[in-house]
Amino acid sequence: MKSEYARLKEYIDQSEKTVAVTGAGISYRYGMRRMKESVGRMNAGRIFSSSYVRKNPEQFYAVMKDAFLDATFVKGPSAVHRQLAELEQQGRLYGIVTQNLDCLHTIAGSENVVEFQGSFRDNVCIDCGARSYDYQAWNQGHMPRCEKCGAPLMPTSFCMDFAGRDSVARENMQKAVDMIAEADLVIVIGTTGFRSEEYLSRMKAGTRLVQVNPSATGFDRMADLNIRADAAQVFDAVLNE
């Protein structure tokens, strides 16, 4: 085992509460597309409005399918998603804070997951405002519909004109902040630090921070350990020493 991997394993074994922070890197590398690629020339602000979805539900679904759903439900979780779930099941990982919307951590088997940007398991009806909490609504091959009134559903975080969107976003971030505040080891994986100044705002003095990322990021200077390697390789070594 490489010395860096051995240090990470030692940190995990010594930790009482380890939290992983994951970003787009662990999803894009395994088939997720960037939203800009899927939206193309369409205006994102326009297609994320209830008026657009009401008129063009299947077009909206097609964008979601291209950007997220095929990777989520066809390709499924990556090795990294499954490795983190295994660490949680072993009691060696307390929880995950993720900026990703794709629900792949949950599908892989992780239970204590905070999605601070929301996800496809938190949806709102564009007509009656009813909320639903099942990502499988997006795994039916067509635009999901409200069970109460039949109108299209949208992920709450995507519905720009949903009145409660800002309060939901604040609640999600507060959950992330609270989880990080409990940690004595934070492992950031595949993220350049999007909104890190918020979710790290209450990280305790003395909490170790480890970065696993092939590329340099804004975490480089604050990390106790930087591992420049593929995350799947790193966690394979940690799990199978």
Side-chain angles (χ1 to χ4, degrees):
M1 179 184 283
K2 291 185 178 180
S3 60
E4 292 175 334
Y5 300 0
R7 281 182 65 191
L8 174 58
K9 181 180 182 299
E10 180 182 344
Y11 287 171
I12 293 172
D13 290 344
Q14 293 173 348
S15 170
E16 293 185 3
K17 279 194 176 179
T18 297
V19 173
V21 177
T22 66
I26 71 166
S27 292
Y28 290 145
R29 293 195 64 195
Y30 299 96
M32 201 68 63
R33 285 170 60 80
R34 297 183 186 275
M35 181 62 73
K36 289 181 180 178
E37 297 173 11
S38 301
V39 173
R41 295 182 179 180
M42 292 182 288
N43 181 284
R46 178 169 63 91
I47 71 166
F48 294 144
S49 68
S50 58
S51 59
Y52 177 88
V53 173
R54 190 174 288 106
K55 295 176 182 177
N56 307 279
E58 295 309 320
Q59 179 64 44
F60 180 82
Y61 177 79
V63 172
M64 297 298 99
K65 184 175 185 296
D66 185 62
F68 297 103
L69 303 179
D70 282 345
T72 294
F73 296 116
V74 178
K75 295 181 180 179
S78 69
V80 181
H81 293 101
R82 297 190 187 283
Q83 288 162 338
L84 293 177
E86 184 175 349
L87 282 171
E88 183 182 354
Q89 290 158 10
Q90 292 178 357
R92 300 166 71 192
L93 182 67
Y94 174 63
I96 296 170
V97 168
T98 186
Q99 71 187 60
N100 299 337
L101 307 161
D102 49 40
C103 298
L104 286 171
H105 284 300
T106 300
I107 294 171
S110 294
E111 295 184 2
N112 195 14
V113 181
V114 174
E115 297 151 327
F116 66 78
Q117 290 202 102
S119 75
F120 284 90
R121 62 176 173 175
D122 183 355
N123 301 289
V124 62
C125 172
I126 64 172
D127 277 358
C128 73
R131 301 280 292 281
S132 62
Y133 301 91
D134 184 6
Y135 64 83
Q136 289 291 355
W138 294 92
N139 191 25
Q140 309 302 316
H142 54 78
M143 187 69 181
R145 298 274 174 172
C146 176
E147 293 183 356
K148 292 184 177 180
C149 72
L153 296 176
M154 291 180 70
T156 304
S157 57
F158 283 3
C159 190
M160 304 297 286
D161 48 3
F162 168 51
R165 182 173 179 267
D166 289 345
S167 64
V168 171
R170 286 192 296 271
E171 289 172 8
N172 289 338
M173 181 55 76
Q174 188 60 53
K175 291 176 183 177
V177 170
D178 291 344
M179 184 180 286
I180 295 290
E182 296 184 58
D184 54 24
L185 173 63
V186 175
I187 308 172
V188 293
I189 310 159
T191 175
T192 58
F194 176 68
R195 298 185 70 182
S196 61
E197 70 282 358
E198 297 177 67
Y199 60 71
L200 294 180
S201 62
R202 285 177 44 219
M203 188 171 73
K204 294 182 296 188
T207 295
R208 285 171 169 157
L209 192 147
V210 175
Q211 175 178 224
V212 180
N213 200 320
S215 303
T217 76
F219 289 111
D220 285 18
R221 291 186 178 182
M222 65 185 300
D224 297 277
L225 174 64
N226 283 298
I227 302 178
R228 296 275 187 259
D230 179 81
Q233 176 183 328
V234 174
F235 288 104
D236 181 67
V238 168
L239 285 163
N240 301 296
E241 181 188 6

